[in-house]
Amino acid sequence: MEKKKILFGITSLTLGGAERVLVDLANELCEKYEITIFTIYAKGELEKQLSPKVRLQSLYPISFAMLTKAQKHVFMPLKIWLRKKHIYQTKIKRDYDVEIAFLEGPITRLFSTENKETRKIAWVHNDISAVFGKGVKAKIKKWIDKKVYEKYQKIIFVSQDNKKKFEKIYQIKNEKEVIYNYIKKELVKEKANQKVSIEFDKKTINILTVARLVQQKAIDRLIKIHSKLIKEGIEHKIYVIGEGPERQKLEKIIKEEKVENSFILLGKKENPYPYIKQADYFALLSYYEGYPMVLLEARILGKDIIITDTAARETLKNYSHGKVVKNEEKEILSALREIIQKKKVKEEIKKEEYENEYILEKVKEIIETA
């Protein structure tokens, strides 16, 4: 029996939550289906983690990281939008049974090009109400994207919160479903045991966050909160794994607040798991979120977790040692103060296995019914 042909599309396979989910999914699904991943940009760090059975195709041979801010957010998306029909017809259109745009933005606009022979699915990983910001540019994007999403037979969301916010903005009648992010927990545990060059200071409380250095993640706010706690005499260290356009700005704030020795930007790490494992607490204190994969990874490794009240709260469902705080500086400051002063020992943590094999089955079900 001939295998179903499935095409996934994503901006690139750089280090990121949605990207990690797609790699894990593709590596599992390729045993049953013919899987192709189409990226707009090549040379993503996660490409080498793909199974040899997964076919990889890229529109541009350059890395997303090599682009300037203007190229990433204005010129390239505009170029793709204006040439989307030509790009689709010449670079993408094949005899695929299902095409899945796995991330909101340019890839979803590109895959929306009409093809009556293929079922189209869009995957939404973020809070659409917040991701595009405000102003004229945001209004234009929302108008364009309403037309785009109407072209898809089904839209998948990674959280109930994201689905509600999407429905409020785009009142369209497409079939919709929520499927939480899939993660291969055995791989997370295995990689967490690998040795790293940096050992955290065991004489103090170590808090870790893993996030792209972008405005959404509110790292600037976290630096200021950290500085206030240090001035109060509440000793601790905060480590951040991740890179992004805000690095220079964040380094400046760290210097101004004189916390260079206690707020450390570690940069990109292909394997963040050993760092998560050795941290005392894991924090993700963003302005808004989707369904962050990194929180699932922290759960698998049995960490105490603190997050702001965003869609990410759904990742802590049935998890006994996670804390959700109001998304305000004053509340975060108070919560971190309490957590650090408690110095809760790891032995008190009740280990809870994270099970998500049913998610893989749900994805297969969607493919089979396409």
Side-chain angles (χ1 to χ4, degrees), residues 270-288:
E270 285 192 36
N271 180 12
Y273 309 130
Y275 300 92
I276 297 173
K277 187 178 179 180
Q278 68 170 307
D280 297 295
Y281 300 99
F282 187 86
L284 193 65
L285 302 165
S286 313
Y287 289 120
Y288 61 92

Side-chain angles (χ1 to χ4, degrees), residues 136-147:
V136 177
K137 186 180 170 186
K139 286 178 183 176
I140 293 169
K141 275 186 177 179
K142 284 174 183 175
W143 180 80
I144 289 171
D145 283 350
K146 184 178 180 184
K147 304 286 183 188

Side-chain angles (χ1 to χ4, degrees), residues 166 190 211 226 269:
F166 181 97
E190 182 187 320
H226 167 72
K269 302 290 177 189

Side-chain angles (χ1 to χ4, degrees), residues 219-232:
I219 306 296
D220 53 347
R221 177 173 69 179
L222 184 56
I223 297 167
K224 289 169 184 173
I225 290 168
H226 167 72
S227 177
K228 286 177 182 176
L229 290 169
I230 293 293
K231 284 167 187 170
E232 289 178 21

Side-chain angles (χ1 to χ4, degrees), residues 1-257:
M1 188 177 172
E2 194 177 343
K3 288 182 177 180
K4 271 196 170 186
K5 297 180 179 69
I6 314 300
L7 177 70
F8 285 96
I10 197 163
T11 308
S12 67
L13 287 176
T14 51
L15 297 172
E19 292 81 1
R20 287 185 190 276
V21 173
L22 179 53
V23 168
D24 279 353
L25 267 180
N27 287 344
E28 292 292 326
L29 295 172
C30 69
E31 297 302 321
K32 187 173 182 180
Y33 308 103
E34 279 189 28
I35 303 292
T36 301
I37 295 179
F38 179 90
T39 65
I40 295 175
Y41 307 103
K43 300 179 181 177
E45 297 91 336
L46 296 178
E47 286 183 10
K48 60 190 175 188
Q49 294 182 21
L50 283 172
S51 163
K53 293 180 181 178
V54 177
R55 182 170 172 262
L56 182 64
Q57 182 188 351
S58 299
L59 178 58
Y60 298 114
I62 57 172
S63 162
F64 185 67
M66 291 170 64
L67 302 177
T68 65
K69 190 176 180 181
Q71 285 174 320
K72 285 176 184 174
H73 301 292
V74 181
F75 298 118
M76 295 305 280
L78 186 60
K79 182 181 177 181
I80 290 165
W81 172 250
L82 293 175
R83 298 182 66 242
K84 75 183 186 95
K85 196 172 280 187
H86 173 75
I87 293 169
Y88 181 84
Q89 294 292 341
T90 58
K91 302 289 185 182
I92 299 170
K93 190 178 180 182
R94 300 285 186 278
D95 58 340
Y96 296 112
D97 297 289
V98 188
E99 292 174 1
I100 302 172
F102 203 68
L103 198 64
E104 56 275 6
I107 198 73
T108 300
R109 295 174 198 131
L110 185 55
F111 273 33
S112 70
T113 307
E114 193 171 355
N115 181 356
K116 291 178 182 176
E117 296 169 9
T118 302
R119 183 160 167 81
K120 307 244 181 193
I121 298 171
W123 221 282
V124 178
H125 286 263
N126 228 321
D127 177 352
I128 290 290
S129 68
V131 75
F132 290 139
K134 296 175 182 177
V136 177
K137 186 180 170 186
K139 286 178 183 176
I140 293 169
K141 275 186 177 179
K142 284 174 183 175
W143 180 80
I144 289 171
D145 283 350
K146 184 178 180 184
K147 304 286 183 188
V148 164
Y149 281 112
E150 282 173 342
K151 303 283 186 184
Y152 286 86
Q153 282 83 44
K154 188 160 193 161
I155 305 174
I156 306 295
F157 301 88
V158 298
S159 76
Q160 294 289 349
D161 188 271
N162 286 353
K163 180 173 176 283
K164 283 176 191 173
K165 286 175 178 173
F166 181 97
E167 287 175 329
K168 192 174 179 182
I169 293 170
Y170 303 125
Q171 295 169 5
I172 53 181
K173 294 179 180 178
N174 312 54
E175 190 181 341
K176 303 177 189 77
E177 189 171 348
V178 173
I179 299 180
Y180 294 133
N181 281 336
Y182 174 76
I183 183 169
K184 199 165 178 63
K185 65 179 184 181
E186 295 82 8
L187 198 59
V188 172
K189 290 177 179 179
E190 182 187 320
K191 288 187 174 183
N193 291 324
Q194 291 177 8
K195 292 198 173 179
V196 289
S197 55
I198 299 166
E199 290 290 331
F200 292 168
D201 184 356
K202 291 175 183 174
K203 293 176 184 175
T204 189
I205 295 293
N206 298 291
I207 299 169
L208 177 72
T209 188
V210 179
R212 285 198 70 233
L213 305 184
V214 292
Q215 191 179 9
Q216 171 193 348
K217 304 298 181 178
I219 306 296
D220 53 347
R221 177 173 69 179
L222 184 56
I223 297 167
K224 289 169 184 173
I225 290 168
H226 167 72
S227 177
K228 286 177 182 176
L229 290 169
I230 293 293
K231 284 167 187 170
E232 289 178 21
I234 300 172
E235 295 298 322
H236 66 291
K237 288 190 175 182
I238 295 182
Y239 295 86
V240 180
I241 289 177
E243 270 302 343
E246 295 245 310
R247 176 178 262 277
Q248 232 176 346
K249 172 189 165 184
L250 298 175
E251 285 174 339
K252 187 181 175 187
I253 298 170
I254 289 168
K255 198 171 181 181
E256 286 170 353
E257 296 291 335

